Amino acid sequence: MGEHARNHERSLVDPDGYWLRTAELIDWDVKPSRALDETKAPFYKWFPDGRLNTCANALDRHVDRGFGERTALIWDSAMVPAKRSFTYRELRDEVARVAGALRALGVDKGDRVIVYMPMVPEAVMTMLACARIGAVHSVVFGGFAPKELAARIQDARPKVVVAASCGIEPTRVVAYQPILDEALAMSDHRPDHTLMLQRDAQRAELGPGYLDWDDVVPTAAPAEPVSVAATDPLYILYTSGTTGKPKGVLRDTGGHAVALAWSMGAIYDVHAGDVFWTISDVGWVVGHSYIVYAPLLVGATTVVYEGKPVGTPDAGAFWRIVQEYGVRTIFTAPTAIRAIKKVDPKAAEVAAYDITSLAALFLAGERLDPETLQWASDALGVPVTDHWWQTETGWPIAANPRGLEPMPVKPGSATVPVPGWDVRVVDGEGRERETGREGEIVIKLPLPPGALTTLWGDDDRFVESYLSRYPGYYHTGDSGYIDDDGYLFVMGRTDDVINVAGHRLSTGAIEAALATHPAVAECAVIGIPDPLKGHVPFGLVVLKAGAAPDHDELRAELVAAVRRDVGPVAAFRDVAIVPALPKTRSGKILRRTMRGIANGRTEAVPPTIEDASVLDALKPILRDRP
């Protein structure tokens, strides 16, 4: 048995002992005497008698051990442009003041704080400040529209909202205050205060209820870390649900810290003093785990990048960051590498920079195609590895554990299940598939530390969404297979949530936006392959009787409706106007069948179809989209 196999077996046979030993990576105010509490299964708890503070583990302990002058965070904005860096001592002091400001605004242990900010250092500081005083943060991606923001405010019911006046994109400046004002008007919850970070690109006019960051934070009394139970919540992160209503994934404090600290060394082979660059946004789980918390927990340097380093003729922007800061490991989505390959197919820009510091490239968030894998491997000359996880899991389920035992790369595979994750592949009846046979990917309970513990305020929905289909297992919603070597191949989603450039989006939310148009009688949205983003949404709409709008104008209005209600992140551009949608006799739209046709598969006509001719008429449209 190799080192990975030994660790994986120990983690499943004796999870209590395995994770209690792993917990030594963290400084505890009260050391846990046991790891796993199964008394209220399936609501498992990790380190139930332990106490700690995540912010103290991420910042204070490194300062206390003499590493206060080590660089903790580098902010590089191609949008302003500007650069700033913070040592561990400087970041701790800044975070302590933000924590003191939040406390002065009435935020206490257990209170929620919504963070609606772009990729600026203050977003990271606010997240860590919440952790410092035991508050629960819920970060909302700055690209989300008022309706999506309102749903999160309504559910989390924050004491305070912390926002920025704007986000800066390559082609425009997005004012955040009008979005926030509209979202608050949609919600029946009113936060006590909104703390606004003013940016020079577009300053906000602050009305009642708003406070200027510069008037509150610099003069705040620094707050010391608050000891919390390991089982206390650290954050809520909302993810798309198939009903269109977002699900508030709840992350605990102790299990999260232990899992992320372990993953940095075992999976990414990143340690204290190394520079780690995760190209994502703090609004997504990747940003939470591997921009903010994990690198700082182990004393590494994290790069916070504002802008799009790829997708423009300047493909070299990507490699400039590696050269300038000595990046050891990059973590991004395959979309980014495909974009670079598109504008620099011969990798000339790679050769123009000194990237000898780079040791590995990790990709996740969507399926990595073999062509992109090969291009990156040849261009960079370092291991390029896919790995797989979800918002709900918080850290990788399957990976090539480079710090534990590097393994050969197989195109199309996320490599092997990580210690703690008991991955199985089953058929529709819950029977395990034999090696090489595709089925639904499930994970035997209990989930390891760091995974979601429940959904915010909705235990029943947690069980219904993830644990009810196959009792005793977490249902990932992905399909795939395991080969003879134990490698896991993840083939795609089994539900109606699509993956756009690593961002999970509900087709239900997009359909709801389309349905607001007065000419639309009904609609369906499916995910179709895209060479850059992995998948993009494709809409089919049926018009109301008598409606005869100009089709080009209608398409433009529908695209605008999705941008308004869901946001630009949906990447919604393609819509077809069709006479009817294929349905079962019970009235269910055959989305899965249409998705299969659009993805180039030969789909058998379901026996429950109401009118096969409707599907036949749609096949040319699905295969030859606009």
Side-chain angles (χ1 to χ4, degrees):
M1 294 179 75
E3 191 62 27
H4 165 267
R6 281 191 291 271
N7 273 264
H8 193 257
E9 183 180 63
R10 288 191 207 116
S11 72
L12 301 187
V13 171
D14 180 20
D16 196 82
Y18 184 84
W19 290 109
L20 201 58
R21 288 189 293 273
T22 306
E24 296 293 331
L25 294 169
I26 295 300
D27 286 359
W28 297 86
D29 299 324
V30 177
K31 244 182 178 177
S33 62
R34 58 187 176 130
L36 178 61
D37 180 358
E38 302 180 87
T39 56
K40 295 184 179 179
F43 299 96
Y44 298 93
K45 294 183 178 180
W46 287 97
F47 313 110
D49 57 348
R51 298 188 68 85
L52 74 160
N53 183 276
T54 293
C55 180
N57 271 277
L59 300 176
D60 300 67
R61 67 166 173 166
H62 304 307
V63 178
D64 295 343
R65 291 174 182 175
F67 302 112
E69 304 316 307
R70 178 186 294 157
T71 302
L73 185 151
I74 297 168
W75 178 61
D76 190 302
S77 173
M79 299 293 96
V80 176
K83 300 174 186 178
R84 294 168 67 191
S85 65
F86 301 83
T87 66
Y88 270 91
R89 187 184 310 280
E90 290 169 339
L91 188 57
R92 179 203 61 182
D93 293 347
E94 293 282 354
V95 167
R97 277 190 286 274
V98 178
L102 291 175
R103 178 170 284 167
L105 296 179
V107 178
D108 206 346
K109 179 179 178 293
D111 289 335
R112 277 78 59 206
V113 175
I114 289 279
V115 183
Y116 191 61
M117 306 180 86
M119 288 289 285
V120 291
E122 291 81 0
V124 177
M125 293 173 189
T126 302
M127 295 167 70
L128 290 165
C130 290
R132 193 171 188 84
I133 59 176
V136 182
H137 64 69
S138 184
V139 183
V140 181
F141 175 68
F144 272 161
K147 185 177 178 182
E148 296 291 335
L149 178 57
R152 287 148 175 79
I153 292 172
Q154 181 71 26
D155 196 62
R157 309 189 80 76
K159 179 71 71 74
V160 167
V161 173
V162 182
S165 60
C166 67
I168 310 173
E169 297 182 1
T171 59
R172 63 181 184 140
V173 174
V174 180
Y176 283 6
Q177 185 179 11
I179 298 173
L180 180 56
D181 285 343
E182 189 175 342
L184 290 171
M186 294 178 180
S187 171
D188 65 14
H189 176 77
R190 291 289 180 276
D192 292 349
H193 305 280
T194 297
L195 186 60
M196 182 70 73
L197 175 72
Q198 296 279 22
R199 306 192 74 190
D200 291 339
Q202 183 160 342
R203 300 178 69 84
E205 293 293 331
L206 302 185
Y210 282 90
L211 298 169
D212 192 310
W213 177 286
D214 288 339
D215 292 339
V216 175
V217 174
T219 58
E224 291 299 310
V226 171
S227 183
V228 303
T231 54
D232 281 342
L234 176 69
Y235 70 76
I236 305 165
L237 181 57
Y238 288 90
T239 185
S240 294
T242 55
T243 63
K245 179 184 176 182
K247 296 179 289 190
V249 169
L250 191 64
R251 197 82 66 206
D252 68 357
T253 299
H256 173 263
V258 171
L260 290 192
W262 180 88
S263 73
M264 283 299 285
I267 296 174
Y268 300 100
D269 195 20
V270 171
H271 308 276
D274 291 336
V275 181
F276 191 67
W277 184 22
T278 296
I279 307 166
S280 183
D281 190 283
V282 293
W284 310 121
V285 70
V286 170
H288 280 58
S289 294
Y290 293 108
I291 294 177
V292 181
Y293 287 110
L296 298 178
L297 284 168
V298 300
T301 299
T302 185
V303 177
V304 177
Y305 186 85
E306 183 184 29
K308 296 185 184 299
V310 295
T312 71
D314 183 18
F318 202 95
W319 313 119
R320 173 190 67 80
I321 297 288
V322 176
Q323 173 181 284
E324 187 168 342
Y325 303 121
V327 174
R328 172 180 169 82
T329 303
I330 296 174
F331 176 4
T332 188
T335 298
I337 304 303
R338 283 195 286 266
I340 291 178
K341 181 168 69 75
K342 181 178 180 181
V343 298
D344 186 23
K346 297 187 182 299
E349 290 287 352
V350 180
Y353 292 86
D354 179 3
I355 62 167
T356 53
S357 64
L358 192 64
L361 170 64
F362 281 82
L363 301 171
E366 56 187 301
R367 186 168 171 77
L368 173 59
D369 58 284
E371 184 182 354
T372 300
L373 170 63
Q374 189 63 54
W375 183 91
S377 299
D378 293 342
L380 304 180
V382 301
V384 177
T385 60
D386 192 8
H387 62 321
W388 170 64
W389 50 297
Q390 302 176 328
T391 299
E392 291 85 353
T393 69
W395 60 289
I397 303 169
N400 192 325
R402 297 207 54 77
L404 196 61
E405 182 187 1
M407 298 181 176
V409 172
K410 290 187 181 185
S413 171
T415 319
V416 293
V418 170
W421 301 97
D422 191 354
V423 178
R424 313 286 179 91
V425 177
V426 300
D427 64 15
E429 302 300 321
R431 297 182 292 262
E432 280 200 56
R433 289 285 201 187
E434 58 269 31
T435 299
R437 288 286 305 280
E438 184 176 346
E440 297 192 52
I441 302 173
V442 298
I443 300 167
K444 193 174 189 301
L445 299 179
L447 299 181
L452 81 167
T453 55
T454 186
L455 296 176
W456 173 253
D458 205 340
D459 288 347
D460 291 342
R461 192 181 183 196
F462 168 64
V463 173
E464 179 186 353
S465 298
Y466 301 109
L467 310 181
S468 61
R469 182 171 175 84
Y470 301 107
Y473 293 87
Y474 166 83
H475 183 220
T476 69
D478 281 301
S479 66
Y481 65 92
I482 298 173
D483 73 4
D484 291 334
D485 296 323
Y487 279 56
L488 178 66
F489 291 74
V490 181
M491 306 308 292
R493 296 295 300 170
T494 59
D495 57 20
D496 287 322
V497 173
I498 60 174
N499 202 318
V500 180
H503 306 149
R504 290 182 64 200
L505 297 170
S506 167
T507 57
I510 300 172
E511 289 174 2
L514 296 177
T516 62
H517 195 286
V520 173
E522 59 180 349
C523 58
V525 173
I526 59 174
I528 59 173
D530 180 83
L532 184 62
K533 297 179 179 293
H535 284 84
V536 293
F538 176 59
L540 301 104
V541 301
V542 179
L543 301 182
K544 292 179 180 176
D550 178 274
H551 284 196
D552 288 338
E553 289 183 6
L554 175 61
R555 290 189 185 96
E557 291 168 0
L558 293 173
V559 170
V562 173
R563 188 180 186 91
R564 179 196 68 220
D565 289 349
V566 180
V569 70
F572 184 80
R573 294 185 301 272
D574 294 340
V575 58
I577 300 164
V578 298
L581 295 173
K583 299 177 182 178
T584 63
R585 294 185 182 93
S586 62
K588 182 179 180 181
I589 297 173
L590 297 171
R591 291 179 179 83
R592 182 172 183 176
T593 302
M594 290 192 294
R595 185 166 60 238
I597 295 169
N599 280 265
R601 297 194 296 268
T602 302
E603 292 287 322
V605 177
T608 56
I609 192 169
E610 183 179 39
D611 185 354
S613 67
V614 173
L615 185 60
D616 289 337
L618 284 182
K619 285 180 180 179
I621 297 172
L622 294 167
R623 289 173 179 150
D624 301 311
R625 298 172 296 276

